[in-house]
Amino acid sequence: MKFDVVTIFPAMIESGLAEGVVGRARQAGLLDIVVHNLRNFTTDRHHVVDDVAFGGGPGMVLKPEPLFAASETIAEQRGPADAVLLMSPAGKPFTQADARRLTTLGHIIVLCGRYEGIDERVRQHVATEEVSIGDYVLSGGEVPALVIVDAVSRLVPGVVGDEQSVDADSFTRGLLDHPHYTRPAEFRGHRVPDVLLSGHHREIRKWRQQEALRRTAERRPELLAEAALTAEERDFLESEGFGPAGKKGSR
Ligand code: ADE
């Protein structure tokens, strides 16, 4: 899978993608990620990437020319992109379903916004999607770009060594993950639940599934409405006092 990230802070992206499973997958050739400095696509002596807003107001706006030039140069040198994602708090909220959809593409360009905004013509004529990572405002699109590249990359076969761990992730089934414990079995008086020490694999699986349901019902009841639950899982939630929407006492 091929990514090209365009930013005015390339070191921020490089350092974020140098380690962990993504760093290893890059070295192994599973991921082909190139980070581009937006300033390299300017044509003036001072490599200016921003300008004042037409109509006035505070803050600077990223100019269209370098971003158009970057996407065109990347397409020429690295092949046409299947998607050009513009990081923006005004974008569509990114979800695990988006991460899965993007893994089906071969080549993604990610554009990091900065300053007060980005010239609208980039949104209209370069970007194919505008993506937000949540309802808060960051100082730029670099951290969001790292989030997207990481979330998509770890779904590429071979990037996370243990495929089962990807399958078991929070959200893969539309539920939050169950609790995890490691040794020691007792720490400062806090014991690991007995069932996990029992060696009964069926009981352990059932406990994990129930704890995932309980957590989701308590913390993210709206996810339950979307999750495909079995009759047994619905019965469990009901027996624990969670109503159809997951809310305790809502029946
Ligand atoms: N740029 C600034 N804030 C952002 C956010 N929440 N998501 C994506 N890009 C952003």
Side-chain angles (χ1 to χ4, degrees):
M1 175 139 206
K2 206 152 61 171
F3 290 98
D4 286 271
V5 183
V6 181
T7 169
I8 58 165
F9 295 126
M12 229 174 130
I13 303 292
E14 285 291 4
S15 66
L17 299 178
E19 300 189 63
V21 291
V22 172
R24 265 201 303 282
R26 289 177 80 184
Q27 282 181 342
L30 285 172
L31 299 172
D32 172 6
I33 307 177
V34 177
V35 183
H36 305 266
N37 189 336
L38 183 63
R39 292 192 196 281
N40 293 344
F41 299 96
T42 54
T43 51
D44 64 305
R45 208 152 57 85
H46 297 290
H47 303 294
V48 174
V49 293
D50 61 335
D51 205 341
V52 294
F54 273 124
M60 301 293 276
V61 177
L62 280 180
K63 292 160 63 61
E65 302 94 318
L67 285 157
F68 273 72
S71 75
E72 286 159 6
T73 303
I74 291 166
E76 278 163 27
Q77 295 179 348
R78 306 246 305 145
D82 300 305
V84 181
L85 312 183
L86 173 62
M87 301 298 105
S88 154
K92 183 175 161 288
F94 183 73
T95 65
Q96 189 67 20
D98 291 306
R100 276 194 293 268
R101 172 176 59 83
L102 293 174
T103 53
T104 66
L105 307 180
H107 183 197
I108 298 174
I109 297 178
V110 182
L111 306 177
C112 303
R114 271 274 152 182
Y115 304 101
E116 298 304 302
I118 191 156
D119 190 280
E120 187 65 18
R121 289 162 290 191
V122 175
R123 294 180 200 282
Q124 290 172 335
H125 305 296
V126 181
T128 60
E129 297 178 37
E130 211 172 321
V131 180
S132 165
I133 63 158
D135 288 342
Y136 36 79
V137 180
L138 301 164
S139 53
E142 282 73 16
V143 169
L146 289 172
V147 168
I148 306 293
V149 173
D150 188 286
V152 175
S153 293
R154 61 189 297 288
L155 297 179
V156 172
V159 170
V160 173
D162 187 353
E163 298 292 323
Q164 279 185 357
S165 103
V166 171
D167 289 343
D169 279 342
S170 286
F171 297 114
T172 298
R173 262 205 71 203
L175 299 177
L176 302 184
D177 202 1
H178 57 77
H180 298 260
Y181 291 91
T182 187
R183 284 177 285 198
E186 182 170 339
F187 176 66
R188 297 190 178 177
H190 306 295
R191 284 189 51 75
V192 170
D194 285 335
V195 60
L196 298 180
L197 311 176
S198 69
H200 291 133
H201 295 295
R202 195 152 30 87
E203 288 299 307
I204 291 170
R205 205 170 326 118
K206 185 172 161 195
W207 180 86
R208 286 177 169 166
Q209 178 193 20
Q210 292 183 341
E211 290 308 303
L213 286 167
R214 185 198 313 282
R215 267 197 178 176
T216 310
E218 283 169 359
R219 302 178 185 184
R220 301 290 305 279
E222 80 280 9
L223 293 179
L224 286 180
E226 300 293 320
L229 300 183
T230 63
E232 197 186 338
E233 288 172 329
R234 294 196 182 282
D235 287 348
F236 168 75
L237 286 172
E238 208 160 311
S239 73
E240 290 289 307
F242 295 104
K247 231 177 286 162
K248 215 155 193 166
S250 70
R251 290 180 308 132

